[in-house]
Amino acid sequence: MTSLGDKGSVQTQTKVLSQDSWTQVSCPCCVSKQVEPLVLIQLSDSVQPVTKRWLISLIETSKRHGGAALLAHPGEDECGDVVVVSAPRCTFLKATEDLGLCKKYHNEDMVAFSYHDRDNFSNVDDMQEFLTLAERQYIVKNELDSLQAQKKQRIPGIPEAPGVLEAWENICQKLVRAGVIKDIFPLHDQQRLNDLGRRWYSKKQIWGQPLDAIQSYFGSTVAFYFSFLDFYTWALVPPAFLGLVLTFLLPGGGGVVKEQAGEGAMEEDDDGPSVSGHMVQAVFSMLWSTLFIELWKRRSSSLSHRWGTLNLAERFAGPRPGFHGTLGLNPETGRLEPLFPEWQRQLRVGLVSLPLVGLLMGLVVLGMTCFYHGEALVQGFHQDSGSLFSGVLLYMPSMAHIVYTNMLGNVYHAVAMQLTEWENHREESSFQNHHTTKVLLFTFFNNFAVLFHIAFYKQDLPLLRKRLASMLIGNQLVNQCTEVVVPFIVDRFLSAPHKKEQEDDLEMDKLRAQRSLPPYPGLFAEYIELLLQFGYLSLFSCVYPLTAVLLLLNNITEIRGDAYKICKLFRKPFSAPVSNMGVWQTAFEVLGFVSVMSNCWLLLLSPRVQEFCLEGGISGKNIILVAILVEHVLILVKMVLAFMIPDEPDWVRIKREQIEFNSMQALGQQVRMI
């Protein structure tokens, strides 16, 4: 099972584990002299040895008898609180077929893997070449999650009440609830991690990332994020260049707007952007967002083919661990598993989830209304008194609004998770998509509602420009602290004594040492940050042309900061094979369409545009009609561009169709053999 290229790395991982203590396999083709530790199960400190032996026995038992068909190691001793898990060759190969992964065939084409045709695939006898480290670890986790009790039984060493397993109950979830299992996480390969770090965040060049190495070590979920971040950062160069030209080279590019004294009307001073500057920035933002998304889709499909995730078959895999329902035969696969009617799920989403989400959105509006009301009261009080105390009070509405939105955000995140759990989605991707969609709606509303209110209700472009600039600069400062400064301080100063102690202690168990690292928080916050950036740029950049410049400067350090964090400061995360960014890609597309409406109406609100229309004798009604016409024309142009640019290159489309055809051929051969 061990390749020559990875032999030293595996030996480094296993030097603290006796090879004789691994559970045995009965299949001759799965016997190996060197077993690679992949996943660590952290048990409770008070776990009984009989419970640990029962768990190890369950892990090694064949699937036919209700086990996981994996390899287990008791750690330092049978009374310890860890179990290290790996997998034999046959388990890896069968799981590869179940996941729908594509692997290199003998003719070097990427083909959906078939267990019955395994001898015709390249490197099928060497699992460290055939599967990436992330794929091997995910397969082990997936097999552990699929453990179910075949009948009602009692867990040895656990009291009667929490220690009873019902028939077809998920075993790992039960052990977590019973306090037996504290955590399950994949193990770092320190040698490969150090090599990846030197190629990734330690090098001096700004552009370029080792995406294939990232995908191999951290999985396609993480690799797609960093690929998108890299692609997005490159794509910021044209709008940043345009922003600099409009700001510093064109007359009045600064975009300063002022309000006439004693009047409600706004006017742009002599240094304000011209009508043509507004129009160029608005139209460019709309076209840029379309081209960016369409070109990213093509890039994403190319990566999906290269990484073998173009033909995933999650809907035919087993249900996710949290799924529950009435036991029955799956009509698609014929397997015995919990079943839950789709109409009940849709009913829960439509009658409960959507109204609750709408209610919490209303609370955002309520908080925004109270903020403006309080701000008006405090400003009036300050104008009347002019004291130092009233000056301090001017900051109170903003501070109270920030506290309110943060508290509401925490409540909403908890409610969103509970609602998604209650909706009872079968596939993990469906669960993640519904949960992400709920949080996205709230995040978008919470971050952009104030800007839309200023732009289209108050129609105060000076305030909009000031608010947008302050949000961008403030967010970038906070981001640089959290992404660069804080990780550097933690790693170089707070963790330095602990690292020196590990280096000096040659006998330290490196596998157990990884437990001191905090779990990786995931990519949710990172995607949210990019989505907000994209929203600021595509929705409001015609008001503040330097938006792209600030985002570009931020993202250059963002790439290295995110890479540094995932490599140095957290445990290695599990990463499911994915073919794209999922619901995040849809969110960026939706923002692209909203940008058309936003830019059209912002252009209409520009004082110089209004002045130009009035000088031409165009009435207010006709101005609105023209704006609507221009909006529809730009939406049509956007749709035509999206149609003209295929979502995947021709060669990827041909490869995908070949994969589907070969899969049908392989299935037909299996049926004829039966």
Side-chain angles (χ1 to χ4, degrees), residues 294-302 645-650:
E294 295 304 318
L295 293 178
W296 163 250
K297 288 181 185 177
R298 294 171 63 84
R299 170 68 170 163
S300 176
S301 63
S302 301
I645 303 175
D647 289 350
E648 54 187 17
D650 287 341

Side-chain angles (χ1 to χ4, degrees), residues 466-482:
K466 183 171 65 174
R467 185 65 178 259
L468 181 61
S470 62
M471 290 177 69
L472 281 171
I473 296 173
N475 288 342
Q476 306 316 316
L477 291 175
V478 172
N479 181 69
Q480 292 303 310
C481 288
T482 57

Side-chain angles (χ1 to χ4, degrees), residues 315-388:
R315 59 190 293 258
F316 300 117
R320 69 181 188 87
F323 180 73
H324 56 84
T326 305
L327 199 64
L329 289 176
N330 187 313
E332 295 177 345
T333 63
R335 291 193 294 255
L336 189 66
E337 63 180 46
L339 302 178
F340 189 78
E342 183 66 24
W343 65 268
Q344 288 190 25
R345 182 179 301 111
Q346 299 297 337
L347 208 62
R348 292 182 176 187
V349 172
L351 297 183
V352 178
S353 296
L354 286 178
L356 280 177
V357 169
L359 175 63
L360 290 168
M361 298 290 184
L363 293 179
V364 175
V365 176
L366 177 63
M368 185 176 64
T369 304
C370 293
F371 163 68
Y372 283 121
H373 182 66
E375 191 176 50
L377 289 177
V378 171
Q379 286 180 350
F381 177 71
H382 179 64
Q383 289 178 357
D384 293 337
S385 64
S387 63
L388 179 63

Side-chain angles (χ1 to χ4, degrees), residues 473-495:
I473 296 173
N475 288 342
Q476 306 316 316
L477 291 175
V478 172
N479 181 69
Q480 292 303 310
C481 288
T482 57
E483 301 283 349
V484 180
V485 179
V486 173
F488 178 82
I489 293 175
V490 170
D491 187 58
R492 292 299 177 90
F493 297 101
L494 301 182
S495 302

Side-chain angles (χ1 to χ4, degrees), residues 82 106 138 142 148 166 174 176 216 304 345 347 358-359 390 394 477 510 524 624 641 652:
V82 298
H106 60 78
Y138 176 76
N142 192 54
Q148 291 181 323
E166 300 294 335
K174 179 67 175 181
V176 171
S216 176
S304 179
R345 182 179 301 111
L347 208 62
L359 175 63
S390 64
L394 289 174
L477 291 175
K510 301 297 183 182
F524 198 93
I624 295 177
L641 276 175
V652 174

